[in-house]
């Protein structure tokens, strides 16, 4: 299920197009929180619950950042990382997970092995300040 933070047309702010983030998390509460933090940080956020939904969007839209949960129902972060590599995704990725640190590190190792741009790994419950800092680093980075 797609989830967008903010009202329709929120991607425009004072005539400027906001950077976009794709939030991939099968937990609706986490997805909603991440989208709201992204919106408040200045991003247009779109949330999805599955690898399949994310692949469709990444294949047809431009995103400046992806947040990625490890467990995604029928799929995993490893599946999504393979899809991102196949689609030549070259923007930053933030891994967000409630799993143990070893699982997070395994996903981060997979991302690095696929030459994907890993920005950070955050544990759930999410430190909202750390999440906002990730968003702000992408906002100030050159396109």
């Amino acid at each position: 299920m797609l989830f967008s933070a903010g009202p329709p047309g929120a991607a425009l702010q004072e005539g400027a197009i906001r950077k976009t983030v794709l939030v991939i998390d099968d937990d609706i509460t986490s997805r909603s929180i991440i989208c709201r933090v992204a919106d408040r940080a200045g991003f247009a956020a779109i949330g999805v619950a599955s690898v399949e939904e994310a692949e469709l969007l990444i294949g047809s839209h431009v995103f400046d950042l992806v947040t990625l949960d490890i467990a995604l129902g029928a799929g995993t972060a490893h599946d999504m990382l393979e899809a991102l590599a196949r689609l030549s995704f070259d923007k930053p990725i933030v891994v967000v997970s409630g799993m143990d640190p070893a699982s997070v590190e395994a996903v981060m190792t997979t991302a690095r092995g696929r030459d994907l741009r890993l920005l950070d790994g955050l544990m759930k419950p999410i430190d909202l300040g750390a999440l906002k800092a990730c968003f702000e680093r992408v906002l100030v980075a050159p396109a």
Side-chain angles (χ1 to χ4, degrees), residues 1-21:
M1 170 178 229
L2 296 178
F3 176 84
S4 179
L12 295 178
Q13 182 179 32
E14 296 181 25
I17 296 178
R18 294 173 16 169
K19 288 191 176 186
T20 58
V21 59

Side-chain angles (χ1 to χ4, degrees), residues 2-52:
L2 296 178
F3 176 84
S4 179
L12 295 178
Q13 182 179 32
E14 296 181 25
I17 296 178
R18 294 173 16 169
K19 288 191 176 186
T20 58
V21 59
L22 178 61
V23 178
I24 309 167
D25 196 317
D26 63 336
D27 179 73
I28 192 164
T29 302
S30 293
R31 192 169 64 243
S32 173
I33 289 168
I34 296 168
C35 284
R36 285 189 189 118
V37 171
D39 186 59
R40 289 185 181 133
F43 278 84
I46 297 176
V48 296
S50 71
V51 171
E52 294 79 18

Side-chain angles (χ1 to χ4, degrees), residues 26-87:
D26 63 336
D27 179 73
I28 192 164
T29 302
S30 293
R31 192 169 64 243
S32 173
I33 289 168
I34 296 168
C35 284
R36 285 189 189 118
V37 171
D39 186 59
R40 289 185 181 133
F43 278 84
I46 297 176
V48 296
S50 71
V51 171
E52 294 79 18
E53 290 173 315
E55 281 187 82
L56 287 172
L57 284 174
I58 289 173
S60 61
H61 293 75
V62 175
F63 292 95
D64 299 291
L65 173 68
V66 164
T67 68
L68 176 61
D69 187 22
I70 291 180
L72 296 167
T76 67
H78 295 282
D79 299 326
M80 192 66 239
L81 292 171
E82 296 226 2
L84 290 168
R86 188 175 57 254
L87 294 165

